[in-house]
Amino acid sequence: MSITLDPRVPRHGSRIDTRPARTDAAVRHLAGTLVAASLVVVTYLWLAGGGIQALASWADGLTSLGRWTGLLAADLLLVQVLLMARIPPLERAVGQDRLARVHRSPGSARSR
């Protein structure tokens, strides 16, 4: 019986290239930051449009909160569309199966 070494497996003393993992982590971090930033921008636009001042009365306050939640929902729907757009760096960093699960979870009653 002979043992052959897999040339892809690093031998003792050699270094493992971690650049792809770091790149994937950076892409995931950037994607999360962009989603959070888009939600902040939407909230800023609601505030700049007088959203907080409208909270003085019940009727106007509820209408204003409804506008804000509608703006947030529209932004998150755009994020869902982008998740299924198969953007290559994002697909490599996260994986298509996980992107599909994240895309599906807000629309289903049961999320994982």
Side-chain angles (χ1 to χ4, degrees), residues 2-103:
S2 63
I3 299 174
T4 58
L5 294 176
D6 188 354
R8 296 172 294 175
V9 176
R11 295 192 178 143
H12 183 68
S14 63
R15 298 183 64 118
I16 297 174
D17 186 16
T18 59
R19 284 178 291 174
R22 285 184 295 194
T23 302
D24 290 347
V27 168
R28 288 190 301 268
H29 180 71
L30 178 65
T33 302
L34 288 174
V35 169
S38 71
L39 293 173
V40 167
V41 167
V42 165
T43 301
Y44 170 76
L45 292 173
W46 174 74
L47 289 170
I52 201 79
Q53 287 86 11
L55 297 178
S57 69
W58 272 101
D60 290 339
L62 291 175
T63 301
S64 182
L65 286 176
R67 286 182 182 148
W68 182 45
T69 57
L71 289 168
L72 293 176
D75 187 45
L76 292 174
L77 285 171
L78 175 63
V79 169
Q80 276 193 306
V81 168
L82 290 174
L83 286 175
M84 293 310 295
R86 298 189 67 137
I87 301 168
L90 190 60
E91 189 173 2
R92 261 191 311 275
V94 179
Q96 185 61 26
D97 292 342
R98 188 170 177 198
L99 286 175
R101 272 196 313 270
V102 171
H103 165 81

